[in-house]
Amino acid sequence: MDKGQGDYVEKLEKENDADNRASKRQKMDIVLEDPKRPVEAVQKGFSFLRERMLTDQSLLGYLSECSALPDEIKQGMREGQDFVSSGRAIKAILRHGPEECRKLIDFIRGSQLHADFKEHLSTVDVDSEKFNLSIETVYDHRTTLYQEMEPSLMADILLEKLVLNIDEHDTVERAVTRKEKCEALLLLVQTHKDNIQKFKLALKKCGCSSVLDEMKEKMPEIPDDPLDCVKRTYRLLHQKIQKEHLYEYIKKKESDQELPDSSEEIICSLMKSPKGCRDLLYYLRKENLSLFYEVMEKYKLRRDGKTVIEQGEHTVDIGNVLCELEFLKTEMEPIPFSDILLEENMILPPLHQSVHQESSHKIQAEMILEKLQKDFEKKYDEAEEKFERQMFEMHRKFDMPGHKPKSTPLRYENPPFDTKEIEKEFKAPEIEHCISKLKWTAVLEKLKENRNVFKDCLSHSYTLSHYDGEEKFALKTQSIAFNEGMFPSAMVLSIEIFSSKIDLKEKQQEIVKFLNSDSTLRSRISRFLHMRVDKAESPLVLHLTSLTEKASQRLLSDNDHVIQKLIKMLLDMMNITISLYEESKSLEIHVTITESTSDSNKQEDSHFIKVRIQQYWDLLVQELEPRQLVLCFVKEGLMTKPEEQIIRSCRQRQTMVAAFLKILLKASEERTFEYFVQLLRQLNKKDIADKLYCRDTISVHQDAETARQNILLHLDEVLENTDTYITEQTLRKRDDSIIPESVWPNSGFSRKGRAYTLLLFVFEDDSLVLEFKNALQYRRFGHYFQNIIADTTEVLQEKNVDTMQKKLSENTVFECTYRAGIRAGYDPAARNKDFVPVVSHDYIYDERYRRGRRVWQMEEFFGHPDMYYRRFEMMRRPMRRHLGVASKPATNEPEEKKKFVTKHKTVAAIDFGTSYSGYAFSSQENPLEVVTGKWKTNSSELLESLKTPTSLLFKSNGLVESFGYEAEQKFKALVEENKHHDYRFFYQIKKELLGKHRCDENLVVFDHMGRPMDAEKVISTAIGYLFVECKDAIAEKKFDKDDILWVMTVPSLWNNFAKQFLRKAAEKAGIPRKQLILTLEPEVAAIYTIKGSKPDLPSDSGDQYVSGTQILLVDLGGGTADFTLMGVAKDGGLEVLHEAVGGAWGGTTINARIWEFMEELLTKDVIDEFKKQTSDYLDMESNIELKKRDLSANNKLLLLVYPSLASICKDKTGKTYKTLVEESEHAEDVKVRTGKIIFEPKMIEKIFERTLKECFSVMDEILQGNGKNVKDIILVGGFSESEIIQKQFENKYSKYHLIIPTDPGLAVLKGAVIFGHDDTMVERRISPHTYGVETLQFGFDTDPGDMKKVISGTTFCSGTFHKIVSRGEILQVAQNTEVDVFSPKISAKQLFLKFYQTDKKGIQCVADEGCDYIGKLTINIEEPPFGVEPLVRLFFKFGEIETTVEGKEVLTDKPVKTDIDFLERKP
């Protein structure tokens, strides 16, 4: 068809449309005049009548008097519920049928509405969308419809078009949420699928044109290269995708995709593989079709469009970029920059993900720049080589040797080759394109022009000394006066400096200039003043506004330290140190603070609903139907025509709602917000209205004020890490017209200057502060708001100054006179720390490295080419300045582990056991050849033992007599001779440390007669014996006896108190502190089984243990039974998979059980009396200990009946022991022979039954929980040598492979030695409890009076529990858990933290039940920062066997001394 034919067809279509409209008008006239069709006329005019009821008083008056309307609807109309009542009124008339509808038509015919009503009925909806909509298409795009439809308005239109009836319209209206309304409407549309084209027209009329555009197009297919698609559209996905929803979708989907810990990095995680990207795109197509279309459209443009190199002229030179790497590192926003580099395919997803996972701005920037540096250096070298080839060709062509210049220089009118093409080779269009897209205009100018272009930085700036003048100047307060109780939020601080020798006028003017223009300096002042500098005036007058409620109290408290810090910093800036030093003079300084009379710039919320709107912003965007709201607001006169046009110009519902809310937030009238809530109630959104109308703004303000304090505490870090993404997230709910332009990258401000401007704007509004907090938390900077406020008992010394007696004027807050001079001992010539002006943002680089002005520009070609070539040689091969990267991107390849990493030549282990103890050792050369100690028993049954009893004998004067077997033998002899009363005998003393949940270092143990003795002395003496014996044995073996690492074993159930108590006792015994480590018994037993022993292993065990293998380690010792679930890590190390469990179910429980049965056989009185016969009792106890290990399932236990026991039976009961046994309930299972009591096999089972039941119960719980994949159970410990124990375990757990290593009783001891040679074998552990500290919180008037504490003018609330790690949390060995501790007192030198533990969830207060005090941490700051509150960053290692903590002061970056004391008595 030619053009003429096309125009003719278009003309015919227009004429047909005109004819249709005329025909429609004629039909509507018939409808109005036909007495049988009034219902149709009213229904077709539904939306017209509903809207006019809001503005036409005559129509409203008619309906108010209409008898067909119920009183409920009339009452609603009288109460102002016009919008909802109007729809109900019209539907009520429709329900009454033709008669009432005719009356309404007659009223309209006689009113001014008649013409408009006829026009409305005759309006023809032209279907300009040339496609037929199907119900299948509607179903495919339902998620988009759920997002974009305004179902109430759609229902009105479909009612008008006679698609829905009144009842169906009610069905939509009754739904509560907008999504429920959409679902109800689509179900009705499906039942009326014959009218689907009318649904299409309704969508167009409702403004859902974007949805129709999607429906017209064929749904795009998932690209063949989904990874490339996600990469090229990453920023769009990152900005618009609902990450939490995507995270849950991928999580529920049966996929082997490895997910990150949080939803924030879900897109980066999916980009690890094409499959993950395909899953992401499938998710979009299913759950967010609108975004899917947008992504596909953008990808098509990016894929098919020209590359950036082909577009336009580029002026940024590679040399400039390489010379400005340090500048880029400072000004770069790494996260946005890495995103756009990913889209431009300049970095790969692994590096991009590493940048996102790293939290340090510096390291992020270095990662990116290291990659760019390598790429650009390579490109630069290639350009050089190309240029050299061109030069060579030129010399060859003109017969000009490269190193022989001719006497007469040749001149060319034109260059011998195309310089523009060579010039392009030295350009960096990619980086220029990326920076331009990010709108970093100042950065781009810097790369082009090499000059400072930042508006908030002068051409010169001062480099402050580390202490801001603290180490240079000393201030002496001459006089001081306060106007008590006066703390204005805005004030004027005037500083007058008097000197007879030094002219300070120009220096002060320079400082004022800096204060008014340099954002870095202003932010530094805000950091310690907690105020902003609104302006500075000469000579030195600062107009200040508080950034927090308590800023003025803080400024005037703590002996004016903050004011002194400000003065010292200003003096330091004046560069007068040398002058003062040479003149040996001092300055007189007068400081006056007055209340400001100027208006504060701080904006106050006009209504509490403003705060709630921003708090529930996402909910409102999801639920509101904007056209309804706009209609009602315009009717009420609460919205102007331009504002209405702004909202209606938006193409999507969500953007319309956002625009509406932004306009609403700009309103100042309270009536506006009251009406908004009222309207929500009318629209059946009572829940949302109730949320918005909650008047509890105190908690919001308290949260915001606490956030302000924390932000100022971390101000430097906050400014460092705030980027455009955080700015956009914070301000997304605010209208652009009220946002300062200087927060955006194209403003010309420096990166930190933009962040500081944002901060000042944010601090004016509580809701913005909380938005900023949420944005930082989303980016994993939540630790800024989790500071622990430590207690301090430090008392600052009062100054010896004269207090001014004169009365201050009414608006004067503070007056003070100082005498300033050089601090004693400071020599400026030696230290050379005065200020020197340096060029801002200029960094040192290799002088040989030429910047972007190429030497082959046109004018250079009029010189000698050979000379030109030599000049080129001078700039070739510049010295490369590689950036030092602090951390490398994560890789999946584990680092190669060394077999043994000990630095000590000998490792010795001491197993301080409940019943028996021992030692062992090995050398660095042969770590697996473990030598154990040996003791003579003087027993006929056992001549030599590898362990000795943990028994001690002291003399009456407290001196030790003997240890082990020797102690037991001597004590037995003393008892027989009745001389034991003057001695003190201790055994099984280790039991005293088990289960001691909270005690102190004054713990005592009791001897054989119940007399107490200091537990530390007893235990240290026992360890001392083992220590000396072991050292002697090492010397005998001729091992190195000086360089020894000592390892002590502890049960896994021991708490921090018991571990620290044992360490203290070991150190008292003589073991050097730095050469002593503790280790957990089950862990080292597993290490011995896997590494050091030769047990009966299955074919798939032992050396064949692979990553993911699970092992259940059962350590049955003398006192305790420990159960530890362990796994094999990827690199072959071990990891604990379940928190330590167990109890006092060791071998001693069998002894105790036998004595319980003896009491049942012979009565308790008899046994109690027999125990007093110490010698015989100890003999019998030793006999039981030896025989229980040899018991088997069918064996009998024979116990000798000592004459003393037989005699006591006769004396106490009048019966022989034989009679007592025969009369007992166990007569069938216990027999008596001459001088013996015999326990039959059934009785043996009863003796072991209780202990086995406890053990099996714990094991079943583990195996049915985290240990479902366990195949091997390792049995170790002295008690595991019992045949009965082994048999019962085999029967109970027959489907598992039971592993019993060689010498199971020595597994712990030998494993400890192996562990000492390589303490990296265990990689992860589980936290057994929730640990936390008591922290102060910023206090408010609502806090209980007994919990308030005022420090430095600031009110705090005490008693809050701050959790550090949770029970069951996986703890990486050697991993630091960072915690920031804030001092409430300026320049404090000592801080205290009280430690607590709990096994309950939801603990908020340290006074809550189940929260137990366990110790105290003391932090000593030798050199605290002057004039500010110290901020200490603590590094806890909870994954170690002993909890340790180190720290540094953040502001000075100096280490602090920490002392954690778990032995301290609860205060």
Side-chain angles (χ1 to χ4, degrees), residues 536 600 787 990 1155:
S600 171
N787 301 302
K990 186 180 176 182
W1155 285 112

Side-chain angles (χ1 to χ4, degrees), residues 1021-1209:
T1021 302
I1023 295 174
Y1025 261 94
L1026 297 168
F1027 173 61
V1028 173
E1029 290 266 358
C1030 185
K1031 284 192 71 174
D1032 292 343
I1034 291 173
E1036 287 181 10
K1037 289 290 183 178
K1038 297 183 180 180
F1039 287 2
D1040 193 304
K1041 62 179 180 179
D1042 297 319
D1043 186 15
I1044 303 175
L1045 176 67
W1046 295 89
V1047 183
M1048 290 207 67
T1049 63
V1050 296
S1052 60
L1053 299 175
W1054 271 20
N1055 56 25
N1056 289 294
F1057 161 78
K1059 294 173 187 176
Q1060 195 170 62
F1061 191 95
L1062 185 68
R1063 168 173 280 279
K1064 187 175 181 182
E1067 291 173 6
K1068 187 175 180 180
I1071 301 178
R1073 179 180 183 82
K1074 293 184 178 180
Q1075 293 178 235
L1076 172 64
I1077 63 171
L1078 304 186
T1079 187
L1080 299 179
E1081 294 170 356
E1083 293 180 1
V1084 295
I1087 290 172
Y1088 170 70
T1089 304
I1090 296 174
K1091 301 286 185 181
S1093 72
K1094 303 295 182 183
D1096 179 19
L1097 297 176
S1099 58
D1100 59 345
S1101 297
D1103 294 336
Q1104 304 299 319
Y1105 282 130
V1106 295
S1107 174
T1109 303
Q1110 289 188 353
I1111 305 163
L1112 179 58
L1113 193 289
V1114 181
D1115 181 10
L1116 302 178
T1120 61
D1122 293 345
F1123 305 89
T1124 305
L1125 179 64
M1126 306 189 75
V1128 179
K1130 291 181 179 180
D1131 58 356
L1134 297 177
E1135 54 186 357
V1136 179
L1137 303 177
H1138 192 282
E1139 62 189 73
V1141 289
W1145 311 318
T1148 56
T1149 60
I1150 303 302
N1151 303 41
R1153 189 62 174 151
I1154 291 173
W1155 285 112
E1156 287 178 13
F1157 280 120
M1158 291 292 286
E1159 289 177 359
E1160 294 176 11
L1161 294 170
L1162 305 178
T1163 73
K1164 189 174 185 303
D1165 290 341
V1166 169
I1167 298 303
D1168 287 345
E1169 184 64 27
F1170 176 67
K1171 288 180 179 180
K1172 295 177 183 180
Q1173 309 297 316
T1174 311
S1175 178
D1176 289 347
Y1177 169 68
L1178 289 176
D1179 262 351
M1180 194 169 184
E1181 176 70 18
S1182 298
N1183 191 29
I1184 291 173
E1185 180 68 28
L1186 289 173
K1187 291 188 175 182
K1188 75 177 182 184
R1189 300 186 184 183
D1190 297 330
L1191 286 175
S1192 61
N1194 298 319
N1195 282 1
K1196 300 178 181 180
L1197 175 61
L1198 280 70
L1199 297 179
L1200 295 175
V1201 179
Y1202 289 79
S1204 58
L1205 178 58
S1207 176
I1208 293 171
C1209 288

Side-chain angles (χ1 to χ4, degrees), residues 759-1004:
L759 209 62
L760 296 182
F761 179 70
V762 162
F763 268 41
E764 295 173 355
D765 190 319
D766 285 348
S767 56
L768 275 180
V769 172
L770 297 180
E771 286 294 327
F772 185 60
K773 174 184 175 181
N774 293 336
L776 288 172
Q777 288 177 327
Y778 183 75
R779 283 280 294 278
R780 300 195 309 275
F781 298 122
H783 59 278
Y784 295 158
F785 307 96
Q786 298 175 356
N787 301 302
I788 298 171
I789 306 178
D791 200 356
T792 176
T793 59
E794 181 180 2
V795 179
L796 295 178
Q797 296 180 355
E798 295 294 331
K799 292 187 176 182
N800 185 19
V801 299
D802 296 328
T803 302
M804 296 175 63
Q805 299 300 321
K806 70 176 184 178
K807 185 177 180 180
L808 298 177
S809 60
E810 184 178 350
N811 68 334
T812 302
V813 180
F814 171 88
E815 283 188 2
C816 187
T817 302
Y818 298 100
R819 181 65 63 179
I822 297 297
R823 183 178 291 278
Y826 178 78
D827 183 356
R831 303 210 175 192
N832 194 23
K833 287 193 176 181
D834 278 331
F835 279 110
V836 291
V838 297
V839 178
S840 174
H841 294 303
D842 273 4
Y843 302 95
I844 298 173
Y845 54 89
D846 191 341
E847 293 180 357
R848 297 177 299 165
Y849 201 79
R850 296 294 182 90
R851 299 184 66 85
R853 292 185 175 85
R854 297 266 65 82
V855 296
W856 51 76
Q857 289 179 356
M858 184 68 69
E859 58 268 23
E860 296 293 342
F861 282 93
F862 296 111
H864 195 285
D866 198 50
M867 184 184 299
Y868 163 68
Y869 184 73
R870 286 199 299 273
R871 290 186 63 186
F872 176 77
E873 286 293 331
M874 289 177 63
M875 61 167 287
R876 291 188 68 248
R877 306 300 178 191
M879 183 182 298
R880 305 306 189 193
R881 296 165 51 258
H882 291 285
L883 294 168
V885 180
S887 65
K888 297 179 180 179
T891 63
N892 294 325
E893 296 297 327
E895 295 183 4
E896 184 178 354
K897 288 177 65 71
K898 296 181 180 179
K899 188 174 182 181
F900 292 105
V901 296
T902 181
K903 297 179 181 179
H904 298 272
K905 295 181 179 179
T906 306
V907 173
I910 296 177
D911 182 9
F912 178 68
T914 303
S915 301
Y916 291 88
S917 299
Y919 65 80
F921 57 88
S922 71
S923 66
Q924 188 182 39
E925 291 78 11
N926 299 298
L928 296 181
E929 294 183 9
V930 181
V931 180
T932 58
K934 295 181 180 180
W935 281 269
K936 293 181 179 180
T937 65
N938 294 324
S939 169
S940 58
E941 297 184 7
L942 182 65
L943 298 179
E944 194 174 61
S945 173
L946 300 180
K947 284 188 176 183
T948 189
T950 311
S951 302
L952 269 171
L953 182 63
F954 287 88
K955 296 179 181 178
S956 58
N957 58 5
L959 297 177
V960 65
E961 173 69 22
S962 55
F963 172 75
Y965 283 112
E966 183 182 355
E968 289 189 349
Q969 292 163 5
K970 285 188 176 182
F971 179 66
K972 189 185 299 183
L974 291 170
V975 171
E976 291 175 350
E977 297 173 8
N978 200 25
K979 295 180 180 180
H980 64 282
H981 300 287
D982 294 332
Y983 287 82
R984 311 190 66 177
F985 181 69
F986 297 90
Y987 63 101
Q988 295 186 358
I989 51 181
K990 186 180 176 182
K991 287 194 299 184
E992 295 297 329
L993 293 177
L994 180 63
K996 295 292 181 182
H997 187 63
R998 173 65 244 154
C999 48
D1000 56 66
E1001 57 187 326
N1002 297 321
L1003 178 69
V1004 296

Side-chain angles (χ1 to χ4, degrees), residues 422-433:
I422 295 296
E423 185 75 19
K424 285 183 180 180
E425 299 294 331
F426 286 88
K427 298 299 180 183
E430 304 92 341
I431 201 76
E432 183 176 350
H433 172 74

Side-chain angles (χ1 to χ4, degrees), residues 329-330 332-334 359-365 720-721 751:
K329 184 166 69 173
T330 302
M332 178 195 300
E333 295 180 357
S359 60
S360 167
H361 172 276
K362 179 182 177 182
I363 297 175
Q364 288 173 334
E720 182 76 10
N721 291 299
R751 181 176 60 83

